[in-house]
Amino acid sequence: MTEAVTGTDWSAWQDSWDRQQEWYLPDREERFRVMLDMVEAFAGPAPRVLDLACGTGTITARLLARFPGAESTGVDLDPALLAIARGTFAGDDRARFVTADLKDPDWTARLPHDRYDAVLTATALHWLHSDPLRTLYGQLAGLVRDGGVFLNADHMPDPATPRINEAERALRHARMDRAKAAGAVDWRAWWDLAAADPVLAGPTAERFAIYGEHADGDTPSAEWHARTLREAGFAEARTVWSSPSDAMVLALR
């Protein structure tokens, strides 16, 4: 449905999602910049991209703004976030969105293309446990063209540095608490707003029926991701960006 039909301001929902995510990830835009730098390095200015676990289409929006000749396929299972994505990009034939469960062995059959120049994802795959994630990485090796790339930016703490991890976490959460006291909207409050919206109420209820309240996946280290991607069939893989708590791993096919 378009904004003209629903009266929904999809850009406002996009902005509110970005602000909510930035409460958790103040360096969010920096990781997207590096991600798109790597896409340009390996695929040029008009890539065919798979936006994996795309949510509201955050990566797609930045991709198309930077590369007007790009094409994006967003895939997700969340009906509320997909409603925002589809509303935002209605009428833009460079972007399409597919409903699919990444745990479904046949999810790739729903995609419009067999190969992509780049597969991109951010702050999403920690919803999967290690075994399903390993399986997913094997599927992605079959989707990325030779010379193409997969980039995953997510929570990737190093278990070998527990004191560093705890100190960083304490500082980050103290800053988050101050921002929330000043009026920042957190994840739970954002979903409460979505549930109260006439257009998003139904999809939001469906979303919680699918996922429940919280992620139940794993957060392995960047080294685990790089090793597992190589084992899955990628030629090279390593960290190309990191913060004190997160990292982005690039895998080259």
Side-chain angles (χ1 to χ4, degrees):
M1 292 187 291
T2 66
E3 181 176 339
V5 174
T6 65
T8 299
D9 186 345
W10 295 116
S11 64
W13 278 109
Q14 283 282 1
D15 288 343
S16 70
W17 178 260
D18 283 344
R19 301 294 83 74
Q20 176 260 129
Q21 288 288 286
E22 286 166 0
W23 182 67
Y24 297 95
L25 306 167
D27 50 21
R28 187 167 178 255
E29 292 302 324
E30 174 67 9
R31 69 189 69 194
F32 292 143
R33 182 191 66 77
V34 175
M35 179 179 283
L36 295 182
D37 282 350
M38 295 299 96
V39 171
E40 184 174 8
F42 287 96
R48 174 187 290 172
V49 169
L50 178 62
D51 185 352
L52 190 72
C54 65
T56 65
T58 296
I59 291 174
T60 292
R62 286 147 183 79
L63 173 79
L64 299 181
R66 177 161 168 176
F67 307 120
E71 174 190 351
S72 179
T73 301
V75 59
D76 208 303
L77 187 61
D78 189 312
L81 299 185
L82 280 173
I84 295 171
R86 288 175 171 133
T88 299
F89 295 94
D92 189 339
D93 60 8
R94 299 173 299 169
R96 67 184 79 186
F97 295 93
V98 174
T99 301
D101 184 350
L102 298 182
K103 294 180 182 179
D104 180 350
D106 298 319
W107 72 270
T108 59
R110 295 176 175 267
L111 300 176
H113 304 295
D114 294 330
R115 291 289 184 275
Y116 289 86
D117 298 314
V119 178
L120 311 177
T121 189
T123 325
L125 298 189
H126 62 270
W127 283 76
L128 296 177
H129 287 292
S130 297
D131 285 343
L133 184 55
R134 184 178 289 106
T135 298
L136 177 65
Y137 281 172
Q139 294 171 311
L140 296 180
L143 285 174
V144 177
R145 65 158 175 82
D146 288 347
V149 291
F150 166 66
L151 286 140
N152 178 17
D154 209 342
H155 310 311
M156 299 182 186
D158 187 340
T161 59
R163 290 191 296 165
I164 295 173
N165 298 348
E166 180 55 34
E168 183 280 328
R169 183 183 184 279
L171 177 63
R172 175 163 41 89
H173 279 263
R175 287 175 173 168
M176 290 166 64
D177 289 344
R178 290 195 296 270
K180 188 173 181 180
V185 174
D186 65 8
W187 187 89
R188 181 67 261 182
W190 189 92
W191 280 109
D192 288 343
L193 292 171
D197 182 84
V199 173
L200 290 176
T204 296
E206 293 176 32
R207 180 248 179 253
F208 280 95
I210 293 169
Y211 290 110
E213 288 290 332
H214 299 289
D216 62 353
D218 299 327
T219 54
S221 68
E223 289 77 7
W224 181 94
H225 286 275
R227 181 180 68 253
T228 304
L229 285 160
R230 289 191 295 267
E231 292 170 351
F234 287 89
E236 300 177 14
R238 71 168 177 87
T239 300
V240 292
W241 174 90
S242 66
S243 74
S245 61
D246 290 15
M248 179 160 57
V249 171
L250 181 153
L252 173 66
R253 190 69 173 95

